[in-house]
Amino acid sequence: MVHRGPAARDPGPGRRRRRTRVEQGRVRGAAAPRPYASSYGPEAEARIPEQVARAVEPARGEHTHSEPPAPPAPAAPAPRTAVQRHSVRGQILQALRTALVSGELRPGEVYSAPVLGERFGVSATPVREAMQQLALEGAVEVVPNRGFRVVERCARELAELAEVRALIEVPVMLRLARSVPAARWSELRPLADATAAAAATGDRARYAESDRAFHRAVLSLAGNEQLVAVADDLHRRAQWPLTSAPALRRADLVADAAEHSALLEALVAQDLPVVQALVREHFTGADR
């Protein structure tokens, strides 16, 4: 006797056996479900990524909970205007420093930014910004509702600046005289020659710039940028004219430039006693 499962039992008379789902599918011509994508064949597998992409793509008009796209970041403004303004301010600052050294801006006088702006052919804004920088340096002081007054300086202030400069620069120069080779000192000859050429013209502003350039080059051999910056600021302040003293004559500038050349010669020769004497003497004059 063959045992039959419950699905194969005869329902008996008057009853119809219910077809299973598989049998119903065969009758209707439906294919049985395939559990694995690999049974679809190569062509069907190639279409799967497209179907997945369409499935995750939101339907047209369908509401989604995703955040709206962020608005594009505003374009950064072109730096050309800022660069030009900074350049104008720097040029005005340099022009005002030259006017201070040459005595064109007289101590005790008050100058307004609009008037100076007309003189330089610019607006009052860059002039005011340059004057504020000079106020920080101690060259001018702010006069409310009027402008800027050139500071009146005395011989004592100039002597104090010379003393501070000597405290900073003399030890550094003496140390460099013992460590820097002669070839490096020879490279500074063009700067010493530039101070002599500027002194020969009697142009105080031109000489002041070449004088600071020579000292900056010497101190830069120490490799200390902060030292160079501090010494240069003190040097610039020492170059502003006094209230009552007359401007330096051409002979004074020539004598000062000659000290640069003599100092450089002693450094190249590594003559330490002469270097020490020249360095200390260079900072004793009130005109430095």
Side-chain angles (χ1 to χ4, degrees), residues 176-186 267-268 270:
L176 293 175
R178 299 182 181 93
S179 58
V180 175
R184 294 295 303 276
W185 294 119
S186 298
L267 289 170
V268 171
Q270 295 184 338

Side-chain angles (χ1 to χ4, degrees), residues 46-78:
R47 292 194 298 270
I48 288 178
E50 300 179 3
Q51 296 171 357
V52 174
R54 287 196 298 269
V56 299
E57 181 180 358
R60 182 175 302 177
E62 178 183 350
H63 175 73
T64 61
H65 294 281
S66 60
E67 297 181 358

